[in-house]
């Protein structure tokens, strides 16, 4: 298993980010799993081996950059360690683009964040036999 999180899996393209966060977009789906709002989009034209993700923690709720960075590190680490368990021929392909927006108002412990990230990944990559 490859537990890395290379630069190719980070969403940095401005056009894609804008389309992912655009209000009332029909091509973007979203799920609310406390403490996250997950935006995802599948682009049929690209064939990415793993999804590109972006993690956002609003400055409105967490004024200190230290707190925002702590949450982003926890989310990134939970994703990095659990992504390989949901990629493979026995699962459907994850969406091409994922956006994790932290909507909680308190800093949750790592265990709770990891549990929610696992739930999100499980929901987005249902086994191929369940289609």
């Amino acid at each position: 298993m490859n537990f890395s999180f290379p630069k190719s899996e980070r969403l940095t393209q401005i056009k894609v980010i804008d389309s992912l966060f655009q209000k009332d977009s029909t091509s973007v789906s979203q799920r609310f799993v406390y403490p996250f709002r997950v935006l995802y989009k599948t682009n049929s034209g690209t064939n990415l081996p793993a999804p590109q993700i972006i993690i956002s923690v609003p400055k409105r709720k967490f004024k200190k950059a230290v707190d925002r960075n702590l949450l982003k590190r926890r989310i990134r680490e939970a994703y990095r360690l659990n992504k390989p368990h949901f990629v493979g021929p026995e699962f459907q392909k994850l969406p091409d683009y994922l956006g994790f927006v932290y909507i909680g108002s308190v800093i949750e412990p790592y265990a709770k964040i990891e549990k929610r990230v696992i739930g999100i990944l499980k929901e987005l990559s249902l086994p191929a036999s369940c289609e």
Side-chain angles (χ1 to χ4, degrees):
M1 282 190 207
N2 186 6
F3 292 104
S4 66
F5 186 60
K7 187 167 174 87
S8 62
E9 292 182 15
R10 298 175 192 187
L11 184 55
T12 58
Q13 302 159 338
I14 301 297
K15 286 183 180 180
V16 177
I17 293 170
D18 287 344
S19 69
L20 193 63
F21 286 97
Q22 185 178 21
K23 297 251 190 238
D24 301 328
S25 177
T26 58
S27 64
V28 176
S29 303
Q30 66 179 347
R31 298 274 160 89
F32 288 97
V33 178
Y34 185 82
F36 297 109
R37 175 176 157 222
V38 182
L39 306 164
Y40 57 96
K41 179 179 178 180
T42 301
N43 192 359
S44 59
T46 60
N47 191 8
L48 299 172
Q52 290 186 338
I53 74 163
I54 187 167
I55 299 168
S56 174
V57 179
K59 191 174 186 178
R60 177 181 283 177
K61 293 192 179 188
F62 298 97
K63 302 292 186 197
K64 295 181 181 177
V66 173
D67 295 338
R68 293 192 302 274
N69 291 338
L70 172 72
L71 286 167
K72 286 191 269 189
R73 277 196 309 270
R74 287 181 180 179
I75 297 166
R76 192 179 316 118
E77 186 69 2
Y79 174 78
R80 182 186 72 82
L81 291 176
N82 294 295
K83 171 193 59 161
H85 302 296
F86 299 100
V87 177
E90 65 272 7
F91 291 103
Q92 289 179 354
K93 187 177 182 300
L94 286 169
D96 291 329
Y97 306 111
L98 281 169
F100 288 92
V101 180
Y102 192 85
I103 59 172
S105 56
V106 296
I107 298 175
E108 298 290 347
Y110 174 76
K112 187 169 185 176
I113 290 174
E114 183 179 36
K115 183 179 174 184
R116 300 299 191 216
V117 168
I118 290 171
I120 290 165
L121 292 175
K122 198 178 290 186
E123 187 176 330
L124 293 178
S125 67
L126 292 172
S129 60
C130 293
E131 290 179 345

